[in-house]
Amino acid sequence: GNHPKKCCGDLVCRADGANSKCVNKSRNEQQRGLKKRIGNLDSCAGWGDKAVSCGEENVERSHVCCGGYKCEKGSISCTHATKKTKPLDPIEAKFQQKPIKVNKNIEVLGTTFNSAQDRDSLTIGVPKKAEKGCFLLMLVGGSASGNAIPGDPSGKGWKQIYVFGKKDLNLRALYKWHNDGDESYRITGGKNTLTTLVAIDGVDKKDPVVDADGVRNSAPGKDGRATAPRVKGERGGCTFGVFLYDDPQVCQVVSDPKSFHVLATTESKQGADGMGTFVASTDGTGKTDTIKVAGSPAKGGGNDCAMTVTIRG
C-alpha cells in the first residue's frame, strides 16, 4: 500500500516523489545485498521541505512529498504540483483599522500588536477604542532556540485560557476585564516575544470562554501553511484563529476567507518571526470548522503553533 511504515521480509521501499510502496528487490540488489535508503514514512514533506525520495540523505526527514507536491527539478526539496498548493504571493502586514461588528452580540473594538527580540521586555498598549468593562484577550507567542518562555503580563486579574508548545515555539491565551484603568501591559522573560491584544464588547460576563485548543507544527512546509483545530462553539459567539511562526510569515486565511476578519497579521519588528490573528462569528452550536491559513516562501524552520479560541456572546 501507499506510505507503508516498514517493508516486510526482503521487500524494499520505492518512491516516485509522491508515493512510496513496498516492492521486490531488483535482481541486482538481491545479488549485491543493497538496501534502498528510506526516510521517515510517518510524515510527508511540504513546500520547501527536503525529502529522502528527492535525494536528501538524512533519513530522519520525510521519505516522500505530501499529496499535491513533487520533487523540485534539480533540488532535494519538494515544490507545488498544483495551483492549490502553490504558495501565496507575499502581502504587506495588515491590522484592524476600525471596530468590527462580528455579529449582533460581539464587536471587536480594536487590536494592538507588539514584538521584542533578544530577551528585551515588551510593552503593549490597550486599544484606543477599548471601553471600561470590555473583554481583553491577550495572545502571547514565544520563539527562541533557548530556554526562555515569556512570563505573565503585568497587571492584576489575568486568567489563562490555554497554553501549549515547547520552549522554542509556544503560544498562550489569557483574558481579563478592562476595569482597572491600566492602559498598557509589560511582558518579560521571553527571548523573541510576539503579542496581540484584542478589546471586545458584548462578551458574556459570567462565563466568557467556550473552548480552546492548539496544535504545534499543524502542517508541513515553509510557505506558512497551518491549520488551527476544531473546538466547541456557541451560536452568537465568536471564533479566534491565532497562528505563530518561527519564520517571518504574513499569513492569510484560505479555508473561509470571507467569514474571517483580520485583526493583525504581521512579521515581528525584527523580521525573524510572524503572527496572525483572525476572528469570525460562531454561527452554530457544536464543533467549529478548522481554520486554514497560508503564506509565502520564507527562510527559517517552517514551524508553527496554531490555536483556536471560542468566546461566548
Short mmCIF file of all heavy atoms in Angstrom, two decimals, residues 48 70 79 83 88 103 112-113 126 131 137 190 221 230 256-257 264 305:
data_model
loop_
_atom_site.label_atom_id
_atom_site.label_comp_id
_atom_site.label_asym_id
_atom_site.label_seq_id
_atom_site.Cartn_x
_atom_site.Cartn_y
_atom_site.Cartn_z
N GLY A 48 9.10 23.30 0.10
CA GLY A 48 10.39 23.71 0.63
C GLY A 48 11.04 22.74 1.58
O GLY A 48 12.20 22.91 1.97
N LYS A 70 5.64 17.74 -5.31
CA LYS A 70 6.54 16.88 -6.05
C LYS A 70 7.97 17.34 -5.81
O LYS A 70 8.21 18.44 -5.30
CB LYS A 70 6.23 16.95 -7.55
CG LYS A 70 6.43 18.34 -8.15
CD LYS A 70 6.06 18.37 -9.62
CE LYS A 70 6.27 19.78 -10.20
NZ LYS A 70 5.92 19.85 -11.64
N THR A 79 8.23 20.83 -4.07
CA THR A 79 7.60 22.04 -4.56
C THR A 79 6.15 21.72 -4.91
O THR A 79 5.74 20.56 -4.89
CB THR A 79 8.34 22.61 -5.78
OG1 THR A 79 7.80 23.89 -6.11
CG2 THR A 79 8.22 21.69 -6.99
N LYS A 83 -2.00 24.17 -8.60
CA LYS A 83 -2.23 25.57 -8.26
C LYS A 83 -2.69 25.71 -6.81
O LYS A 83 -2.38 26.70 -6.15
CB LYS A 83 -3.29 26.16 -9.20
CG LYS A 83 -2.82 26.35 -10.64
CD LYS A 83 -3.90 27.01 -11.48
CE LYS A 83 -3.42 27.22 -12.92
NZ LYS A 83 -4.47 27.87 -13.74
N LEU A 88 1.23 31.41 -1.61
CA LEU A 88 0.58 32.67 -1.93
C LEU A 88 1.62 33.76 -2.22
O LEU A 88 2.77 33.67 -1.78
CB LEU A 88 -0.30 33.11 -0.75
CG LEU A 88 -1.37 32.12 -0.28
CD1 LEU A 88 -2.14 32.73 0.88
CD2 LEU A 88 -2.32 31.76 -1.41
N ASN A 103 -21.07 40.05 14.95
CA ASN A 103 -22.48 39.63 14.87
C ASN A 103 -23.28 40.55 15.79
O ASN A 103 -22.75 41.54 16.30
CB ASN A 103 -22.67 38.15 15.21
CG ASN A 103 -22.05 37.77 16.55
OD1 ASN A 103 -22.15 38.53 17.52
ND2 ASN A 103 -21.40 36.61 16.62
N THR A 112 -4.16 45.70 19.14
CA THR A 112 -2.79 46.20 19.11
C THR A 112 -1.83 45.03 19.01
O THR A 112 -2.15 43.89 19.39
CB THR A 112 -2.46 47.04 20.36
OG1 THR A 112 -2.78 46.27 21.54
CG2 THR A 112 -3.24 48.33 20.37
N PHE A 113 -0.62 45.31 18.51
CA PHE A 113 0.42 44.28 18.35
C PHE A 113 1.76 44.88 18.70
O PHE A 113 2.04 46.05 18.43
CB PHE A 113 0.45 43.76 16.91
CG PHE A 113 1.60 42.84 16.62
CD1 PHE A 113 1.51 41.49 16.91
CD2 PHE A 113 2.79 43.33 16.09
CE1 PHE A 113 2.59 40.64 16.67
CE2 PHE A 113 3.87 42.49 15.85
CZ PHE A 113 3.76 41.14 16.14
N VAL A 126 -3.27 49.06 25.47
CA VAL A 126 -4.67 48.70 25.30
C VAL A 126 -5.20 49.45 24.07
O VAL A 126 -4.88 50.63 23.87
CB VAL A 126 -5.49 49.10 26.55
CG1 VAL A 126 -6.98 48.87 26.33
CG2 VAL A 126 -5.00 48.29 27.75
N GLU A 131 -13.34 50.11 25.80
CA GLU A 131 -14.25 50.75 26.74
C GLU A 131 -14.13 50.08 28.11
O GLU A 131 -13.78 48.90 28.21
CB GLU A 131 -15.69 50.65 26.23
CG GLU A 131 -15.90 51.33 24.88
CD GLU A 131 -17.27 51.05 24.30
OE1 GLU A 131 -18.01 50.23 24.91
OE2 GLU A 131 -17.60 51.63 23.25
N LEU A 137 -8.52 40.20 25.39
CA LEU A 137 -7.94 38.91 25.04
C LEU A 137 -6.47 39.13 24.70
O LEU A 137 -6.14 39.84 23.75
CB LEU A 137 -8.67 38.30 23.84
CG LEU A 137 -8.11 36.99 23.28
CD1 LEU A 137 -8.22 35.86 24.30
CD2 LEU A 137 -8.83 36.61 21.98
N GLY A 190 10.81 36.32 27.83
CA GLY A 190 10.96 35.60 26.57
C GLY A 190 12.24 35.98 25.85
O GLY A 190 12.88 36.99 26.16
N GLY A 221 5.88 22.14 5.50
CA GLY A 221 6.22 23.14 4.51
C GLY A 221 6.71 24.45 5.09
O GLY A 221 6.54 24.72 6.28
N ARG A 230 -10.42 22.23 15.41
CA ARG A 230 -11.83 22.41 15.72
C ARG A 230 -12.00 22.45 17.24
O ARG A 230 -11.32 21.74 17.98
CB ARG A 230 -12.65 21.26 15.15
CG ARG A 230 -12.55 21.08 13.65
CD ARG A 230 -13.31 19.85 13.21
NE ARG A 230 -14.75 20.01 13.40
CZ ARG A 230 -15.62 19.01 13.41
NH1 ARG A 230 -15.21 17.76 13.29
NH2 ARG A 230 -16.91 19.25 13.57
N ASP A 256 -11.89 29.80 4.65
CA ASP A 256 -13.17 30.51 4.55
C ASP A 256 -12.88 32.00 4.68
O ASP A 256 -13.31 32.65 5.65
CB ASP A 256 -14.12 30.03 5.65
CG ASP A 256 -15.54 30.56 5.46
OD1 ASP A 256 -15.81 31.15 4.41
OD2 ASP A 256 -16.36 30.39 6.38
N PRO A 257 -12.16 32.57 3.73
CA PRO A 257 -11.64 33.94 3.89
C PRO A 257 -12.72 35.01 4.03
O PRO A 257 -12.49 36.04 4.66
CB PRO A 257 -10.81 34.15 2.62
CG PRO A 257 -11.34 33.17 1.63
CD PRO A 257 -11.76 31.98 2.43
N ALA A 264 -4.76 41.19 13.12
CA ALA A 264 -3.35 41.53 12.92
C ALA A 264 -2.66 40.35 12.27
O ALA A 264 -2.77 39.23 12.76
CB ALA A 264 -2.67 41.88 14.24
N CYS A 305 2.71 27.30 15.53
CA CYS A 305 1.73 26.98 16.57
C CYS A 305 0.40 27.57 16.11
O CYS A 305 0.34 28.74 15.74
CB CYS A 305 2.12 27.60 17.92
SG CYS A 305 3.40 26.72 18.82
#
